[in-house]
């Protein structure tokens, strides 16, 4: 059973930076995807960024391209968030799959997620 433990998050002013971390345990091999979703109050959970562990291929949502960067170190995944905007305020969830399907779908889709983290709050003030 894969478990995800998140850390990071917090409050920052617009234009600032934050870094989220997600540690995965229980994986063997590298045929899996990990990534981040976020959900703001009253809105649906949306994909932010994802990475395929086997090749480190990365995928980003349009709203964060050029500002966020996802990276991987063994079974740890990081989300560096720069130039943060108030609209980035949300609960951020680490997510992971049992296979590498995100490579074929252009990123991790909510329906394909097998494991979720507990969530960490990011608040950006103007």
């Amino acid at each position: 059973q894969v478990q995800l433990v998140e850390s990071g998050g917090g409050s920052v002013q617009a234009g600032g930076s934050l870094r989220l971390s997600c540690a995965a345990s229980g994986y063997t091999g590298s045929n899996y995807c990990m990534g981040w979703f976020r959900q703001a109050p009253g809105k649906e959970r949306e994909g932010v960024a994802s990475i395929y562990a086997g090749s480190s291929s990365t995928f980003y949502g349009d709203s964060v391209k050029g500002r966020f960067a996802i990276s991987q170190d063994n079974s740890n995944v990081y989300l560096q968030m720069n130039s943060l905007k108030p609209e980035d305020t949300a609960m951020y969830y680490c997510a992971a799959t049992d296979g590498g399907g995100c490579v074929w779908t252009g990123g991790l889709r909510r329906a394909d997620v097998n494991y979720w983290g507990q969530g960490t709050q990011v608040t950006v003030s103007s």
Side-chain angles (χ1 to χ4, degrees), residues 1-2 4 24-29 31-34 75 95-99 115:
Q1 181 73 10
V2 172
L4 306 176
S25 59
Y27 274 124
T28 56
N31 187 35
Y32 60 91
C33 298
M34 290 184 68
S75 57
T97 66
D98 282 327
Y115 310 103

Side-chain angles (χ1 to χ4, degrees), residues 1-112:
Q1 181 73 10
V2 172
Q3 291 187 325
L4 306 176
V5 178
E6 301 150 339
S7 60
S11 297
V12 67
Q13 289 191 327
S17 299
L18 284 172
R19 188 189 196 214
L20 305 182
S21 300
C22 178
S25 59
Y27 274 124
T28 56
S30 59
N31 187 35
Y32 60 91
C33 298
M34 290 184 68
W36 295 90
F37 285 73
R38 66 186 181 186
Q39 188 167 18
K43 295 188 177 181
E44 292 190 356
R45 193 170 296 190
E46 65 171 352
V48 175
S50 52
I51 187 167
Y52 173 56
S55 65
S56 296
S57 297
T58 58
F59 310 92
Y60 295 94
D62 289 340
S63 62
V64 305
K65 284 180 181 177
R67 299 188 298 123
F68 291 12
I70 189 169
S71 61
Q72 176 191 355
D73 176 14
N74 294 321
S75 57
N76 301 315
V77 171
Y78 308 96
L79 185 68
Q80 179 66 41
M81 305 183 292
N82 299 324
S83 301
L84 282 161
K85 305 175 181 180
E87 51 263 44
D88 294 317
T89 295
M91 186 71 77
Y92 283 70
Y93 296 91
C94 182
T97 66
D98 282 327
C102 66
V103 173
W104 313 112
T105 58
L108 194 53
R109 299 182 306 183
R110 184 176 178 180
D112 297 329

